[in-house]
Amino acid sequence: MTQSKNKKIKYTAFMVSSIDGLIARDSGSGIDWTSKEDSDFYHDKIKNMDVVVVGSNTYKVASGRSWKNAVVLTTKVKLPKKEGKIVFLNPDKTDLKKFLQIKKYKKVAIIGGGKVYNFCLKNKMIDELYLTIEPYVFTKGISMFSGNEFNKYRFELKSVKKLNRNTLLLHYNNLSVS
Amino acid sequence: MTQSKNKKIKYTAFMVSSIDGLIARDSGSGIDWTSKEDSDFYHDKIKNMDVVVVGSNTYKVASGRSWKNAVVLTTKVKLPKKEGKIVFLNPDKTDLKKFLQIKKYKKVAIIGGGKVYNFCLKNKMIDELYLTIEPYVFTKGISMFSGNEFNKYRFELKSVKKLNRNTLLLHYNNLSVS
């Protein structure tokens, strides 16, 4: 029992959004609007994660300095392709969950963007979620989860913290996975 | 000075969303997924407001029991049309701000949906915002603000409160209006 529990991967999503739940202006834009405190929190957490899972657009604009390993999800490869600490993987061709298990990763960070968050949520690969809310309203942009159908995933609020005067950090557990 | 200050209307938006910033499944759906505590908070606040501004879709699914007066925004009338405590008004034909001033309303509640929130934000008719976040992820649905272009409105976090174990109430001031 303990052994099988120890083998289980823990998936943690890290997100930062506007008040209206948008994570970027468009798929090519970076996160120059987020606070230093969020960036500090993110890098501090990520350096303890075994691997990050990231989409190819987010990969292009993200800083990889705190990553031990990364899996970049892309449709541009058939077989997983390794380049240093980065593996490019096509989730339509290779089972991502199995890949992570074979690599014996325990702590997996899901860092976006919207399509990757949605893919992982759908495939029970988000156990917990850290959401930083920055004090902006964008009115149009990339949604947190780029879903193509309505769902109702239940979460449990674990904690709320102020990262600075105007920035909040929410921590949720996903109750839709067991 | 005091006189002109007293004349100023205060616009307060009330919103309830999922963790991913969605306010409804579609434009015709109600808010059966929100908590009793949010409903209590909303009705308690609304009964002290002079008038609510609401879109025609939200009007159809909302409970009006706490409204003193209401302005329903619709494209289906040319001139404002009064029915009891409700006025149907076409914001393309009638200046909403002037209408509210003439009526001498001081405390105006903006209660959605997404198009109305966006219209009011654009027209400097949101001074403060109460956002309740319920513990769900929907992945697809109606966005808080149905904007057709990216903007960056700055807000200031006034307070955070837990309405129940899993539901948060955020209170923001809009810094983009003066």
Side-chain angles (χ1 to χ4, degrees):
Chain A
M1 276 299 256
T2 315
Q3 225 176 7
S4 102
K5 204 185 166 188
N6 282 345
K7 274 187 189 166
K8 208 180 177 297
I9 295 175
K10 176 138 191 186
Y11 296 97
T12 308
F14 294 89
M15 325 180 98
V16 52
S17 83
S18 62
I19 299 167
D20 54 335
L22 302 174
I23 58 171
R25 179 179 190 141
D26 52 56
S27 61
S29 59
I31 46 164
D32 53 338
W33 49 276
T34 63
S35 59
K36 184 188 172 300
E37 290 81 2
D38 171 66
S39 172
D40 290 349
F41 162 77
Y42 166 80
H43 286 292
D44 200 53
K45 279 281 187 181
I46 288 296
K47 70 174 190 241
N48 293 313
M49 306 298 285
D50 298 326
V51 64
V52 309
V53 173
V54 60
S56 52
N57 288 322
T58 305
Y59 170 68
K60 280 173 205 149
V61 295
S63 152
R65 67 181 154 95
S66 312
W67 302 348
K68 280 185 201 160
N69 300 286
V71 178
V72 179
L73 302 188
T74 174
T75 53
K76 297 217 171 116
V77 297
K78 278 186 183 168
L79 291 170
K81 194 180 146 196
K82 196 168 154 58
E83 285 182 18
K85 64 181 182 180
I86 315 288
V87 171
F88 295 86
L89 181 149
N90 186 336
D92 298 334
K93 310 279 184 192
T94 305
D95 187 319
L96 174 59
K97 251 180 175 171
K98 269 192 194 154
F99 179 86
L100 297 168
Q101 274 159 3
I102 290 163
K103 291 282 184 184
K104 293 197 167 58
Y105 294 135
K106 296 280 162 59
K107 291 182 277 179
V108 177
I110 314 295
I111 64 162
K115 271 191 265 179
V116 170
Y117 290 132
N118 190 57
F119 175 84
C120 290
L121 187 58
K122 236 172 149 171
N123 289 285
K124 301 193 180 225
M125 294 171 74
I126 294 184
D127 295 306
E128 60 171 355
L129 185 159
Y130 285 97
L131 169 62
T132 298
I133 304 179
E134 299 287 3
Y136 302 104
V137 168
F138 290 159
T139 76
K140 196 185 175 187
I142 305 286
S143 301
M144 256 185 246
F145 295 87
S146 306
N148 43 26
E149 55 180 11
F150 177 87
N151 279 289
K152 195 175 169 185
Y153 298 96
R154 280 205 68 190
F155 283 71
E156 172 186 33
L157 181 65
K158 296 300 284 179
S159 68
V160 190
K161 199 180 151 183
K162 282 182 79 168
L163 290 183
N164 65 38
R165 222 170 67 103
N166 291 311
T167 300
L168 283 176
L169 173 67
L170 316 187
H171 183 196
Y172 287 98
N173 274 351
N174 185 356
L175 298 179
S176 306
V177 290
S178 55
Chain B
M1 277 302 255
T2 316
Q3 225 175 7
S4 100
K5 204 184 165 187
N6 282 344
K7 275 187 189 164
K8 210 181 174 297
I9 295 175
K10 176 138 192 185
Y11 296 96
T12 307
F14 294 89
M15 326 180 98
V16 52
S17 83
S18 63
I19 298 167
D20 54 334
L22 301 174
I23 58 171
R25 179 179 190 141
D26 53 56
S27 61
S29 59
I31 47 164
D32 54 337
W33 49 276
T34 63
S35 59
K36 185 190 171 297
E37 291 80 2
D38 172 64
S39 172
D40 290 349
F41 163 77
Y42 165 80
H43 286 292
D44 200 54
K45 280 280 186 181
I46 289 295
K47 70 175 191 240
N48 294 312
M49 307 295 287
D50 299 325
V51 64
V52 309
V53 174
V54 60
S56 53
N57 288 323
T58 305
Y59 170 67
K60 279 173 205 150
V61 294
S63 151
R65 66 182 155 96
S66 311
W67 301 350
K68 281 185 198 157
N69 301 286
V71 178
V72 179
L73 302 189
T74 175
T75 54
K76 298 218 170 117
V77 297
K78 278 184 182 169
L79 291 170
K81 194 180 146 194
K82 197 169 151 58
E83 285 182 17
K85 64 180 182 180
I86 316 288
V87 172
F88 295 86
L89 181 148
N90 187 336
D92 297 334
K93 309 280 184 191
T94 304
D95 186 320
L96 174 60
K97 250 181 175 169
K98 269 191 193 154
F99 178 87
L100 297 168
Q101 274 158 4
I102 289 164
K103 291 283 184 183
K104 294 196 167 55
Y105 295 135
K106 296 282 161 60
K107 292 183 276 180
V108 177
I110 314 295
I111 63 162
K115 272 191 263 178
V116 170
Y117 290 132
N118 191 57
F119 175 86
C120 290
L121 187 58
K122 234 173 152 171
N123 289 286
K124 301 192 182 226
M125 294 172 73
I126 293 184
D127 295 306
E128 60 172 356
L129 187 158
Y130 285 98
L131 170 62
T132 298
I133 303 179
E134 298 287 4
Y136 302 104
V137 167
F138 290 159
T139 76
K140 194 185 177 188
I142 305 286
S143 301
M144 258 185 244
F145 295 87
S146 307
N148 43 25
E149 55 180 11
F150 176 88
N151 280 287
K152 195 175 167 183
Y153 297 97
R154 281 204 66 190
F155 283 71
E156 172 187 33
L157 182 64
K158 297 301 283 177
S159 68
V160 190
K161 198 181 150 182
K162 282 182 79 167
L163 290 183
N164 65 38
R165 221 170 69 104
N166 292 311
T167 301
L168 285 175
L169 173 67
L170 316 187
H171 183 197
Y172 286 97
N173 274 350
N174 185 355
L175 299 179
S176 306
V177 291
S178 54

